[in-house]
Amino acid sequence: MHATTTHDHNETSAARAGGASAGERFTDSLRDDNAANWQAVVGHRFVSELFDGSIDDSVMCRYLIQDHRFLDGFLALIGAAVASADTLDARLRLAAFAGDVAGDESTYFLRCFAKFGVSEADRAKIPDTAATAGFKRVFRDAADTRNYTIILSVLLVSEWSYLSWAMRAPEQAPANFVHAEWITLHDNPPFRQLVEFLRSELDRVGPAHASEAREFFGRTVQLELDFFDQSYELR
């Protein structure tokens, strides 16, 4: 379960100024602004086929190759979040997040590539999709701002959208570890706590920079949808 976040009067007033209605979390308003694309991501064909294990190996391999391409930029973005955060507690939590991405998730990719028989040289020959290039750009653009709100807006989409679809997985996991572990990597108690932390931070600092948050949040949601779509394009 997600933790409950308590707002004081000033934070509630700021949320209203940022466009969220009374009683609504700022991050909920960001998601609601992008409801059509958000639901298209959460209910995507890729997700359904991942859940039942029917996704074609070529699609899954293509997806993972592209996803692995922006691991470097994603870690740099988390590093920018550490540098721009305004509290020690936030810095410590974000630093731990970077360690998680560099550890279990990175290892998962390498195991999958070994299963698919795709070498590093093979992967290097495959060009970036437009969505991959877009993710690299938005990660770089957000990091370069050194604006904590903007950085959080991009990080939150990347994690919250995945939690949102992974939470819908059926109880019976697919047999293939490639499918099953990609689901469990994005729905487990520590990951839910991470998403709640990112939401709480953006609820706290976002209303003061609402327009920037909305721009980068919406841009990243669109990229998530494009990324799923383009995994089905033959190359």
Side-chain angles (χ1 to χ4, degrees):
M1 297 292 290
H2 289 177
T4 301
T5 302
T6 302
H7 301 285
D8 64 20
H9 174 75
N10 291 335
E11 289 172 331
T12 302
S13 299
R16 291 174 184 169
S21 61
E24 181 184 38
R25 295 178 67 168
F26 179 68
T27 50
D28 281 330
S29 74
L30 295 178
R31 181 187 57 189
D32 293 347
D33 285 347
N34 297 275
N37 279 349
W38 188 275
Q39 290 304 316
V41 169
V42 172
H44 199 276
R45 170 188 176 188
F46 180 94
V47 174
S48 299
E49 293 179 357
L50 185 69
F51 287 169
D52 65 19
S54 67
I55 191 165
D56 191 271
D57 281 352
S58 64
V59 173
M60 192 70 196
C61 185
R62 187 157 50 240
Y63 167 88
L64 291 174
I65 288 170
Q66 295 295 325
D67 197 285
H68 190 252
R69 290 278 172 83
F70 44 79
L71 180 60
D72 179 69
F74 193 62
L75 283 168
L77 182 63
I78 300 172
V82 174
S84 61
D86 56 351
T87 68
L88 175 60
D89 285 347
R91 290 187 203 276
L92 292 172
R93 184 64 188 85
L94 289 161
F97 176 27
D100 291 339
V101 173
D104 290 345
E105 189 162 329
S106 181
T107 301
Y108 164 83
F109 281 110
L110 299 180
R111 291 167 54 226
C112 290
F113 295 146
K115 178 176 176 60
F116 288 130
V118 181
S119 68
E120 185 174 354
D122 293 333
R123 302 197 306 271
K125 297 174 185 175
I126 300 172
D128 287 352
T129 65
T132 296
F135 267 120
K136 289 180 176 180
R137 192 175 307 114
V138 78
F139 291 162
R140 183 173 60 249
D141 289 350
D144 286 349
T145 68
R146 295 298 187 265
N147 181 309
Y148 190 42
T149 294
I150 289 174
I151 293 167
L152 284 172
S153 298
V154 176
L155 287 175
L156 179 58
V157 173
S158 300
E159 305 307 280
W160 190 15
S161 65
Y162 270 55
L163 174 63
S164 295
W165 64 251
M167 287 176 64
R168 299 173 62 189
E171 186 175 341
Q172 181 65 43
N176 190 331
F177 86 86
V178 174
H179 309 149
E181 290 189 24
W182 195 237
I183 296 168
T184 56
L185 276 169
H186 297 102
D187 184 20
N188 56 75
F191 190 75
R192 292 189 184 204
Q193 291 165 12
L194 168 67
V195 171
E196 179 57 33
F197 160 75
L198 293 173
R199 289 193 65 189
S200 296
E201 284 293 280
L202 190 53
D203 286 336
R204 178 175 66 85
V205 303
H209 302 275
S211 61
E212 295 95 331
R214 294 186 189 286
E215 175 189 351
F216 276 83
F217 192 97
R219 182 176 164 188
T220 310
V221 174
Q222 181 65 62
L223 284 169
E224 293 288 2
L225 179 55
D226 293 345
F227 193 77
F228 277 162
D229 286 345
Q230 291 169 21
S231 296
Y232 287 87
E233 296 176 4
L234 295 178
R235 294 186 175 274

